[in-house]
């Protein structure tokens, strides 16, 4: 929560998916007798090993209402090719 899409970096290296991000929040409240100013910064990083059989070249990410969704399709299975034997 509170992370903007431009503050998120997603990469896939081999079979490892890495998501990195950084949050920056500044709040300033000015009242008659005081001023309160808060700054919060934080970085995060998560790495996940992906299962085999994924087409990482076709991966796509969407960000909507604070929810990051990653879609990585499976590779189509290679179907065995039948070879006919010719008589001489």
């Amino acid at each position: 929560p509170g992370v903007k899409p431009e503050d998120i970096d997603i990469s896939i290296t081999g079979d490892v998916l890495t998501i990195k991000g950084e949050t920056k929040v500044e709040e300033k409240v000015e009242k008659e007798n005081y001023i309160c100013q808060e700054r919060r910064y934080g970085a995060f990083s998560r790495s996940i090993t992906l299962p085999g059989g994924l087409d990482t070249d076709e991966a796509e990410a969407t960000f909507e209402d604070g929810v990051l969704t990653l879609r990585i399709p499976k590779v189509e299975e290679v179907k065995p090719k039948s070879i006919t034997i010719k008589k001489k």
Side-chain angles (χ1 to χ4, degrees):
V3 180
K4 297 176 185 172
E6 56 270 10
D7 294 333
I8 299 174
D9 178 47
I10 304 168
S11 63
I12 298 176
T13 306
D15 62 346
V16 177
L17 168 70
T18 303
I19 302 172
K20 297 178 185 177
E22 185 174 37
T23 59
K24 301 174 187 175
V25 179
E26 292 188 27
E27 295 180 37
K28 186 173 185 178
V29 178
E30 294 186 32
K31 297 284 183 172
E32 186 177 320
N33 297 328
Y34 69 91
I35 296 174
C36 178
Q37 188 169 358
E38 294 181 3
R39 292 185 183 120
R40 290 177 280 167
Y41 296 94
F44 63 89
S45 175
R46 300 289 184 272
S47 294
I48 302 166
T49 303
L50 299 172
L54 297 178
D55 187 4
T56 57
D57 293 333
E58 297 296 321
E60 61 181 41
T62 57
F63 191 86
E64 185 178 345
D65 297 327
V67 177
L68 175 66
T69 303
L70 296 171
R71 295 190 190 279
I72 306 172
K74 291 182 180 181
V75 176
E76 290 187 31
E77 292 183 27
V78 178
K79 296 179 182 175
K81 183 179 177 181
S82 178
I83 301 173
T84 57
I85 302 171
K86 296 179 183 178
K87 294 182 182 179
K88 286 189 174 186

